Amino acid sequence: MEVESTQSLPRSNNELHRSKRLTKISLVILNFIIMVIGSTGSPLILRLYFLKGGKRIWLSSWLQTGGWPLILIPLFVSYMKSRDKKLPLMSPSLFISCAFIGILTGLDDWLYAYGISYLPVSTSSILISTQLAFTALFALLLVRQRFTPYSVNAVVLLVIGAAMLGINSSGDKPEGESKEKYYLGFFMTIGAAVLYGLVLPLVELSQMKYEKVRVPVCYTLVLEMQLVMGFFGTAFSTVGMIVNKDFTAIHREARDFELGEARYYIVLVGSAIMYQCFFVGTVGAIFYGSALLAGVIMTVLIPVTEVLAVVFFSEPFSTGKGVALALSLWGFVSYFYGEIKGKNSRETVNGTS
């Protein structure tokens, strides 16, 4: 009997380890699916709002974080399953950090909404892909993410791709739109890419600081972080809506919406849901990998958004835009190859030491 009990202990430990591994893999897959849905669907539905008569920049900015109460559902389930008696898990310092990041996110949402109101989805998506370059830079400064020749190559290619869009913009400008508004949208979108390139490493830095003084970050804490960031991002946009009198204009805008009043509200709700998928997926990608990984996933999903924009909105796809897209994908492949090569080298060193 004694022998059986001692042998069952390693077996039970192995089963526990296998169960935890399967749970982690399932969460990674679920997180990736959520991020794919949010990353590809959110710019399309927001552009639809502007194409069919929507004009409220602050409202569209508010929608990008306004769905934060939806996070309460998975967070409640996570609390029910948690064995930790000290809930919520968030520390006061992490709460302050997330509040600050949330305000930055609100500002970023406004810049992005302003940009996409004047730009085709295919153009804004390629411009937003430059956030990978800024994420790499800020990750180097804030979390000491190391640069490799491959990541430097990726940064250069993405910057060249964005520059090409600016040079070859004459055939891409939507009909009836002035060149001034087009370029304003262009630089607003670049500004959004820069700011979001800062936000991603700040989220990673907040998680790293929490782990140093507390316990390892878990997915429940990730949901808490997104809840706080979403709340403060929405609060920032709410102030803008009040000043701009957007709340009083919603009913009038719904009445004049080209798709009808009912579909107007469906577009608003759908936009809020899509963007929550995007933000939860992004924070989850940082949790399971790094800020750069989140940036890379967003970049690799650009071709999907490009194709969907051409299919649903009949957007022109010029040669210059195709070259810019190719450069963006080349930059992604370069970065990803460098990461794989670096990981294999580290494993070889660890194996021989």
Side-chain angles (χ1 to χ4, degrees):
M1 293 295 291
E2 226 175 285
V3 174
E4 288 179 7
S5 63
T6 55
Q7 287 180 343
S8 64
L9 185 60
R11 190 180 299 120
S12 62
N13 286 338
N14 288 336
E15 289 175 355
L16 182 62
H17 177 72
R18 192 181 301 114
S19 176
K20 286 183 177 180
R21 189 167 180 272
L22 286 173
T23 302
K24 182 178 179 181
I25 292 173
S26 300
L27 285 173
V28 169
I29 294 173
L30 178 62
N31 190 86
F32 179 73
I33 293 172
I34 289 173
M35 191 172 180
V36 169
I37 294 171
S39 295
T40 56
S42 54
L44 293 173
I45 198 167
L46 187 60
R47 182 59 179 166
L48 178 66
Y49 164 79
F50 287 112
L51 286 175
K52 299 304 178 180
K55 295 181 177 64
R56 317 306 296 188
I57 303 295
W58 278 110
L59 171 61
S60 55
S61 171
W62 187 93
L63 291 171
Q64 294 177 53
T65 52
W68 64 267
L70 294 172
I71 302 174
L72 291 170
I73 300 171
L75 185 59
F76 177 75
V77 174
S78 184
Y79 279 168
M80 294 295 290
K81 292 184 177 182
S82 177
R83 297 178 181 177
D84 199 322
K85 295 180 180 179
K86 296 180 67 176
L87 296 173
L89 302 174
M90 183 173 287
S91 64
S93 60
L94 183 59
F95 178 87
I96 294 172
S97 297
C98 288
F100 174 69
I101 295 172
I103 293 171
L104 288 181
T105 302
L107 175 59
D108 180 74
D109 292 341
W110 180 79
L111 291 171
Y112 177 69
Y114 209 110
I116 204 171
S117 67
Y118 295 130
L119 297 178
V121 173
S122 50
T123 302
S124 63
S125 295
I126 295 176
L127 290 176
I128 282 294
S129 73
T130 61
Q131 57 80 27
L132 180 59
F134 302 113
T135 299
L137 175 61
F138 289 120
L140 172 68
L141 298 175
L142 296 176
V143 297
R144 298 294 184 263
Q145 179 82 39
R146 65 185 184 85
F147 266 118
T148 66
Y150 302 100
S151 57
V152 171
N153 184 52
V155 169
V156 172
L157 290 170
L158 288 167
V159 171
I160 293 175
M164 284 194 64
L165 283 177
I167 295 171
N168 299 287
S169 61
S170 56
D172 189 45
K173 185 169 64 64
E175 188 178 347
E177 186 174 292
S178 68
K179 186 173 291 187
E180 290 76 15
K181 285 185 177 180
Y182 179 89
Y183 279 112
L184 181 60
F186 187 95
F187 289 111
M188 284 289 196
T189 306
I190 289 291
V194 174
L195 189 53
Y196 206 66
L198 171 63
V199 165
L200 295 180
L202 283 176
V203 173
E204 185 177 358
L205 180 64
S206 299
Q207 292 180 355
M208 290 171 60
K209 287 186 174 181
Y210 180 89
E211 286 186 326
K212 284 183 180 179
V213 297
R214 296 241 173 175
V215 294
V217 174
C218 61
Y219 201 72
T220 302
L221 182 65
V222 170
L223 292 174
E224 289 182 3
M225 291 176 67
Q226 181 53 39
L227 186 74
V228 174
M229 289 187 288
F231 174 82
F232 279 93
T234 305
F236 177 86
S237 297
T238 300
V239 174
M241 286 186 68
I242 293 171
V243 173
N244 204 44
K245 299 180 180 179
D246 279 12
F247 285 108
T248 57
I250 289 176
H251 179 69
R252 184 174 64 255
E253 190 173 72
R255 192 176 59 245
D256 299 334
F257 198 61
E258 290 181 25
L259 298 179
E261 190 170 350
R263 287 193 176 96
Y264 173 82
Y265 292 109
I266 291 174
V267 167
L268 297 191
V269 172
S271 182
I273 293 172
M274 286 290 185
Y275 274 104
Q276 277 313 299
C277 289
F278 167 72
F279 283 119
V280 171
T282 301
V283 175
I286 296 172
F287 166 62
Y288 287 116
S290 65
L292 270 180
L293 174 63
V296 166
I297 294 175
M298 282 187 275
T299 303
V300 79
L301 290 174
I302 286 174
V304 181
T305 307
E306 295 275 342
V307 172
L308 292 174
V310 172
V311 171
F312 290 112
F313 300 143
S314 301
E315 292 186 356
F317 198 82
S318 62
T319 303
K321 193 180 293 185
V323 173
L325 176 59
L327 289 173
S328 297
L329 292 175
W330 184 7
F332 161 73
V333 172
S334 175
Y335 170 81
F336 195 65
Y337 176 76
E339 286 297 299
I340 293 175
K341 190 173 181 180
K343 183 179 180 181
N344 291 338
S345 299
R346 289 192 294 272
E347 288 177 352
T348 303
V349 172
N350 292 336
T352 55
S353 60

